[in-house]
Amino acid sequence: MTTPGTLAWFEIATSDPDGTQQFFGSLFDWSFDTDGPAAAGGLDYRNIKASGADAPMGGIFGTGGQLPDHAVFYILVADVEATCADAEQLGGSVVSKHLDPGPGAPAFAYLRDPSGNQFGVFTPPAA
């Protein structure tokens, strides 16, 4: 895993996960695997691996049309709750936070910077 404060994940949220997977897979030679913990929770989430990579670098989230299509980057942090508090102190805002998303899933939050740009922060699940 990377160091806290580094760009560590990205997510493409889409109402057309099959089409999105086909596009990016063909364009960049990426491969995709179903995320087990997400699937167990009823989500269509597909981990993305670059050609020859050992670990996933991002994911496709099938929204079922319940959210607008978007892409977001995630920064690894040591403490999601503390990072949310720090962001608010610095003029940002918390869109949503998920501190206990379930077994095998990371704690994460969506934040906005003072200009309104959305991004995510996460802490990996305990081993």
Side-chain angles (χ1 to χ4, degrees):
M1 190 48 67
T2 58
T3 305
T6 60
L7 182 62
W9 192 260
F10 72 93
E11 180 177 86
I12 303 165
T14 177
S15 57
D16 181 13
D18 292 332
T20 299
Q21 178 175 316
Q22 176 64 34
F23 175 80
F24 284 104
S26 296
L27 185 63
F28 296 121
D29 194 28
W30 290 349
S31 62
F32 305 86
D33 294 312
T34 299
D35 182 277
L43 295 178
D44 179 357
Y45 202 92
R46 305 160 191 206
N47 292 319
I48 300 169
K49 280 189 193 176
S51 180
D54 293 330
M57 61 183 180
I60 292 176
F61 169 45
T63 66
Q66 299 301 306
L67 297 169
D69 291 0
H70 66 276
V72 65
F73 64 89
Y74 288 84
I75 305 296
L76 179 72
V77 298
D79 183 326
V80 171
E81 180 102 56
T83 301
C84 289
D86 290 346
E88 290 178 320
Q89 287 285 333
L90 294 168
S93 61
V94 176
V95 176
S96 65
K97 59 183 165 183
H98 310 272
L99 301 177
D100 189 17
F108 69 98
Y110 293 114
L111 307 175
R112 290 195 190 279
D113 69 14
S115 296
N117 298 300
Q118 185 169 314
F119 63 99
V121 296
F122 77 100
T123 302

